[in-house]
Amino acid sequence: MANLTVMAFDFGTQSIGCAIGQSITETAQALPAFKAQDGIPNWEAIKKCLDEWQPDIVVVGLPLNMDGTEQEITQRAKKFANRLYGRFGVKVELQDERLTTTEARSEIFARGGFRALNKGKIDSISACVILESWFENRG
């Protein structure tokens, strides 16, 4: 199977976490989060990131309620995914992210405690967790 470069986004209204990974290692590394204004990112910055990494697939975390129902942010994350596809023509997949923020917090804690818990870091580590769970589930 070919090695794929995969980029993941953790959509948020103020900040959009970002991570990059390879299917061959199935690991992800956090990239700087993108600031967003009411969910609208700086598309130029996102384009630059896509140009730099040239991902084969982009994964967007899909925030659902614990019972699997949608919430307002779910629609906005889907719209963000559609815009990524529409603007840049990248292949986009959605990944259920119900547990990732909690997981990201414990991951950050493991990597350096509360001092490391700034919002941008959490969002990008959430993007790593989204990406790694995508790798796990595509088996």
Side-chain angles (χ1 to χ4, degrees), residues 28 30 99-114 116-117 121-122 124-126 128-129 132:
L99 298 170
T100 54
T101 304
T102 319
E103 240 175 273
R105 278 177 202 276
S106 54
E107 183 77 13
I108 289 171
F109 193 68
R111 291 183 193 188
F114 286 119
L117 283 179
K121 278 249 174 56
I122 292 178
S124 287
I125 291 186
S126 294
C128 286
V129 176
E132 288 172 1

CSV table of all heavy atoms in Angstrom, one decimal, residues 28 30 99-114 116-117 121-122 124-126 128-129 132:
chain,number,residue,atom,x,y,z
A,28,ALA,N,1.2,11.0,14.1
A,28,ALA,CA,0.9,12.3,13.7
A,28,ALA,C,1.7,13.3,14.5
A,28,ALA,O,2.1,13.0,15.6
A,28,ALA,CB,-0.6,12.6,14.0
A,30,ALA,N,1.8,17.5,15.7
A,30,ALA,CA,1.0,18.7,15.8
A,30,ALA,C,1.7,19.8,15.0
A,30,ALA,O,2.9,19.9,15.0
A,30,ALA,CB,0.9,19.1,17.2
A,99,LEU,N,-14.2,11.5,21.6
A,99,LEU,CA,-13.4,11.5,22.8
A,99,LEU,C,-12.1,12.2,22.7
A,99,LEU,O,-11.3,12.2,23.6
A,99,LEU,CB,-13.1,10.0,23.1
A,99,LEU,CG,-14.4,9.2,23.4
A,99,LEU,CD1,-14.1,7.7,23.4
A,99,LEU,CD2,-15.1,9.7,24.6
A,100,THR,N,-11.9,12.9,21.6
A,100,THR,CA,-10.5,13.4,21.4
A,100,THR,C,-10.1,14.5,22.3
A,100,THR,O,-8.9,14.6,22.6
A,100,THR,CB,-10.3,13.8,19.9
A,100,THR,OG1,-11.3,14.8,19.6
A,100,THR,CG2,-10.3,12.7,19.0
A,101,THR,N,-10.9,15.5,22.6
A,101,THR,CA,-10.5,16.6,23.5
A,101,THR,C,-10.0,16.1,24.8
A,101,THR,O,-9.0,16.5,25.3
A,101,THR,CB,-11.5,17.7,23.6
A,101,THR,OG1,-11.9,18.1,22.3
A,101,THR,CG2,-11.0,18.9,24.3
A,102,THR,N,-10.8,15.2,25.4
A,102,THR,CA,-10.4,14.6,26.7
A,102,THR,C,-9.1,13.8,26.5
A,102,THR,O,-8.2,14.0,27.4
A,102,THR,CB,-11.5,13.6,27.1
A,102,THR,OG1,-12.7,14.1,26.8
A,102,THR,CG2,-11.4,13.2,28.6
A,103,GLU,N,-9.0,13.1,25.5
A,103,GLU,CA,-7.7,12.3,25.2
A,103,GLU,C,-6.6,13.3,25.0
A,103,GLU,O,-5.5,13.0,25.5
A,103,GLU,CB,-7.9,11.5,23.9
A,103,GLU,CG,-7.8,10.0,24.1
A,103,GLU,CD,-8.1,9.3,22.8
A,103,GLU,OE1,-9.2,9.0,22.6
A,103,GLU,OE2,-7.1,9.0,22.1
A,104,ALA,N,-6.8,14.4,24.3
A,104,ALA,CA,-5.8,15.3,24.0
A,104,ALA,C,-5.3,16.0,25.3
A,104,ALA,O,-4.1,16.1,25.5
A,104,ALA,CB,-6.3,16.4,23.1
A,105,ARG,N,-6.2,16.3,26.2
A,105,ARG,CA,-5.8,16.8,27.5
A,105,ARG,C,-4.9,15.9,28.3
A,105,ARG,O,-3.9,16.3,28.8
A,105,ARG,CB,-7.0,17.2,28.3
A,105,ARG,CG,-7.6,18.5,27.9
A,105,ARG,CD,-8.9,18.8,28.8
A,105,ARG,NE,-9.7,19.7,28.1
A,105,ARG,CZ,-9.6,21.0,28.1
A,105,ARG,NH1,-8.7,21.5,28.9
A,105,ARG,NH2,-10.4,21.8,27.5
A,106,SER,N,-5.3,14.6,28.3
A,106,SER,CA,-4.5,13.7,29.1
A,106,SER,C,-3.1,13.4,28.4
A,106,SER,O,-2.1,13.3,29.0
A,106,SER,CB,-5.2,12.3,29.3
A,106,SER,OG,-5.6,11.8,28.1
A,107,GLU,N,-3.1,13.5,27.1
A,107,GLU,CA,-1.9,13.4,26.3
A,107,GLU,C,-0.9,14.5,26.6
A,107,GLU,O,0.2,14.4,26.8
A,107,GLU,CB,-2.3,13.4,24.8
A,107,GLU,CG,-1.1,13.2,23.8
A,107,GLU,CD,-0.6,11.8,23.7
A,107,GLU,OE1,-1.3,10.8,24.2
A,107,GLU,OE2,0.4,11.6,23.2
A,108,ILE,N,-1.5,15.7,26.6
A,108,ILE,CA,-0.7,16.9,26.9
A,108,ILE,C,-0.1,16.8,28.3
A,108,ILE,O,1.0,17.1,28.6
A,108,ILE,CB,-1.5,18.2,26.8
A,108,ILE,CG1,-1.8,18.5,25.3
A,108,ILE,CG2,-0.7,19.4,27.4
A,108,ILE,CD1,-2.8,19.6,25.1
A,109,PHE,N,-1.0,16.4,29.2
A,109,PHE,CA,-0.6,16.3,30.6
A,109,PHE,C,0.6,15.3,30.7
A,109,PHE,O,1.6,15.6,31.3
A,109,PHE,CB,-1.8,15.8,31.5
A,109,PHE,CG,-1.5,16.0,32.9
A,109,PHE,CD1,-1.4,17.2,33.5
A,109,PHE,CD2,-1.3,14.9,33.7
A,109,PHE,CE1,-1.1,17.4,34.8
A,109,PHE,CE2,-1.0,15.0,35.1
A,109,PHE,CZ,-0.9,16.3,35.6
A,110,ALA,N,0.5,14.2,30.0
A,110,ALA,CA,1.6,13.2,29.9
A,110,ALA,C,2.8,13.8,29.4
A,110,ALA,O,3.9,13.5,29.8
A,110,ALA,CB,1.1,12.0,29.1
A,111,ARG,N,2.7,14.8,28.4
A,111,ARG,CA,3.9,15.3,27.8
A,111,ARG,C,4.4,16.6,28.5
A,111,ARG,O,5.4,17.2,28.0
A,111,ARG,CB,3.5,15.7,26.3
A,111,ARG,CG,3.3,14.5,25.4
A,111,ARG,CD,3.0,15.0,24.0
A,111,ARG,NE,2.5,13.9,23.2
A,111,ARG,CZ,2.3,13.9,21.9
A,111,ARG,NH1,2.6,15.0,21.3
A,111,ARG,NH2,1.9,12.9,21.3
A,112,GLY,N,3.8,17.0,29.5
A,112,GLY,CA,4.4,18.2,30.1
A,112,GLY,C,3.5,19.0,31.1
A,112,GLY,O,3.8,20.1,31.5
A,113,GLY,N,2.4,18.4,31.5
A,113,GLY,CA,1.6,19.0,32.6
A,113,GLY,C,0.8,20.2,32.2
A,113,GLY,O,0.8,20.6,31.0
A,114,PHE,N,0.3,20.8,33.2
A,114,PHE,CA,-0.6,22.0,32.9
A,114,PHE,C,0.0,23.1,32.2
A,114,PHE,O,-0.7,23.8,31.5
A,114,PHE,CB,-1.2,22.5,34.3
A,114,PHE,CG,-2.2,21.5,34.8
A,114,PHE,CD1,-2.1,20.9,36.0
A,114,PHE,CD2,-3.4,21.3,34.1
A,114,PHE,CE1,-3.0,20.1,36.5
A,114,PHE,CE2,-4.4,20.4,34.6
A,114,PHE,CZ,-4.2,19.8,35.8
A,116,ALA,N,1.7,23.1,29.7
A,116,ALA,CA,1.6,23.0,28.3
A,116,ALA,C,0.2,23.1,27.8
A,116,ALA,O,-0.1,23.1,26.6
A,116,ALA,CB,2.1,21.6,27.9
A,117,LEU,N,-0.8,23.3,28.7
A,117,LEU,CA,-2.2,23.3,28.3
A,117,LEU,C,-2.7,24.6,27.7
A,117,LEU,O,-3.7,25.1,28.2
A,117,LEU,CB,-3.1,22.9,29.5
A,117,LEU,CG,-3.1,21.4,29.8
A,117,LEU,CD1,-4.1,21.1,31.0
A,117,LEU,CD2,-3.6,20.6,28.6
A,121,LYS,N,-2.2,24.5,21.6
A,121,LYS,CA,-1.6,23.2,21.8
A,121,LYS,C,-2.7,22.1,21.9
A,121,LYS,O,-2.6,21.1,21.2
A,121,LYS,CB,-0.8,23.1,23.0
A,121,LYS,CG,0.6,23.7,22.9
A,121,LYS,CD,1.6,22.6,23.0
A,121,LYS,CE,3.0,23.0,22.7
A,121,LYS,NZ,3.5,24.1,23.6
A,122,ILE,N,-3.7,22.4,22.7
A,122,ILE,CA,-4.8,21.4,22.8
A,122,ILE,C,-5.4,21.1,21.5
A,122,ILE,O,-5.6,20.0,21.1
A,122,ILE,CB,-5.9,21.9,23.8
A,122,ILE,CG1,-5.4,21.9,25.2
A,122,ILE,CG2,-7.1,20.9,23.7
A,122,ILE,CD1,-6.4,22.4,26.2
A,124,SER,N,-4.2,21.4,18.4
A,124,SER,CA,-3.4,20.7,17.5
A,124,SER,C,-3.1,19.2,18.0
A,124,SER,O,-3.0,18.3,17.2
A,124,SER,CB,-2.1,21.4,17.3
A,124,SER,OG,-2.4,22.5,16.4
A,125,ILE,N,-3.1,19.1,19.3
A,125,ILE,CA,-2.9,17.7,19.8
A,125,ILE,C,-4.2,16.9,19.6
A,125,ILE,O,-4.2,15.7,19.2
A,125,ILE,CB,-2.4,17.6,21.2
A,125,ILE,CG1,-1.0,18.1,21.2
A,125,ILE,CG2,-2.5,16.2,21.8
A,125,ILE,CD1,-0.2,18.0,22.5
A,126,SER,N,-5.4,17.6,19.7
A,126,SER,CA,-6.7,17.0,19.3
A,126,SER,C,-6.6,16.5,17.9
A,126,SER,O,-7.1,15.5,17.5
A,126,SER,CB,-7.8,18.0,19.5
A,126,SER,OG,-8.0,18.3,20.8
A,128,CYS,N,-4.0,15.7,16.2
A,128,CYS,CA,-3.1,14.4,16.2
A,128,CYS,C,-4.0,13.2,16.6
A,128,CYS,O,-3.9,12.2,16.0
A,128,CYS,CB,-2.0,14.5,17.2
A,128,CYS,SG,-0.7,15.7,16.7
A,129,VAL,N,-4.8,13.4,17.7
A,129,VAL,CA,-5.6,12.2,18.1
A,129,VAL,C,-6.6,11.9,17.1
A,129,VAL,O,-6.8,10.7,16.8
A,129,VAL,CB,-6.2,12.6,19.5
A,129,VAL,CG1,-7.1,11.4,19.9
A,129,VAL,CG2,-5.2,12.8,20.6
A,132,GLU,N,-4.7,10.0,14.4
A,132,GLU,CA,-4.3,8.7,14.8
A,132,GLU,C,-5.5,7.7,14.9
A,132,GLU,O,-5.4,6.6,14.5
A,132,GLU,CB,-3.4,8.7,16.0
A,132,GLU,CG,-2.0,9.3,15.7
A,132,GLU,CD,-1.1,9.6,16.9
A,132,GLU,OE1,-1.6,9.3,18.1
A,132,GLU,OE2,0.0,10.0,16.7
